[in-house]
Structure formats: structure tokens, C-alpha cells
Amino acid sequence: EVKLAESGGDSVQVGGSLRLACTASGFTLADRDVGWYRQAPGNECEWVSTIGSDGTSYYADSVKGRFTISRDNAKNAVFLQMNSLKPEDTAVYYCEDISPWLVAGMSAQQVKPCSSQQGTQVTVSS
């Protein structure tokens, strides 16, 4: 079965850190472009970060300087290290193999994969 699974979400205090993991099964992530997205209650699905198959990374302005995306090909996983967390980071976080959309000419920001899988809840409280 081909699937992605997110993990690592938790409840933390403002200023805390979390490391989210996106683990693939049934296919190899190493040659895929992977995006992290999030959705807070009442809000639209929001693009957070992308890592290209070549390791190039991109970030939304709201998380730049605080979040770091990385991949571990040996673990067939992509990670999102989140530091200096703020209450506005509270959301369900999702990862997605966005390669098909990019090949079709869409941007990472145009992909809306939230709710396509379970996601992992991040709650930041003051």
C-alpha cells in the first residue's frame, strides 16, 4: 500500500519546539518533492514548507527562520523541525508528495492536501 503518515505532533508551550515526521511506505520519498501543510479550525489549508528532490527547501514567510525541513532517505522520511513555536502555529499538519502537481504546472502553494490523510495535531499554548 502506498501511503504517507505524519507523526510528532503534541501540545507545547509558546517558544517550545517539535519535530514532525512524514514517513512513506510503499514508495520512495528520496526522488519526490514533499510539502508540509497545515490547517487550523476555520482556516484554509496553508502551505508551510517544501523540500525538493534535490534538497532545496522553501518556507512560508510565517515560519521562515523558525522551521527547518529536511529529509532522511535512509529512513524514507521528511522532517519538519519547528522552533520558537507561537499560538498561531496551532493546526493539524499534513505532508504530501507534491511531485505530480508540480509536474502538472501547479505551485506548492496551490496544492491543498489537508484532510487527505490523518495529519498530526500541533497545539501551542501561552
Side-chain angles (χ1 to χ4, degrees):
E1 182 184 7
V2 174
K3 69 174 185 178
L4 290 170
E6 304 90 349
S7 62
D10 205 344
S11 295
V12 297
Q13 298 282 324
V14 168
S17 297
L18 285 173
R19 188 189 192 213
L20 305 185
C22 173
T23 304
S25 56
F27 72 108
T28 301
L29 271 181
D31 57 353
R32 315 300 289 176
D33 299 291
V34 178
W36 278 100
Y37 296 78
R38 65 187 181 186
Q39 188 167 30
N43 288 4
E44 290 189 356
C45 186
E46 175 189 16
W47 170 73
V48 175
S49 181
T50 300
I51 187 164
S53 56
D54 61 355
T56 304
S57 57
Y58 306 89
Y59 300 93
D61 288 343
S62 59
V63 306
K64 199 172 295 182
R66 300 188 297 121
F67 291 10
T68 303
I69 193 170
S70 62
R71 61 166 81 237
D72 186 332
N73 293 335
K75 296 182 179 179
N76 205 24
V78 169
F79 301 96
L80 186 68
Q81 177 68 42
M82 305 189 299
N83 298 329
S84 302
L85 283 163
K86 304 176 180 180
E88 50 264 42
D89 295 318
T90 295
V92 179
Y93 284 70
Y94 304 87
C95 65
E96 184 62 78
D97 167 18
I98 61 173
S99 295
W101 285 277
L102 299 184
V103 168
M106 292 176 66
S107 68
Q109 293 85 346
Q110 291 176 303
V111 181
K112 303 292 184 183
C114 297
S115 302
S116 62
Q117 44 215 32
Q118 184 171 351
T120 187
Q121 175 71 50
V122 172
T123 303
V124 185
S125 57
S126 55

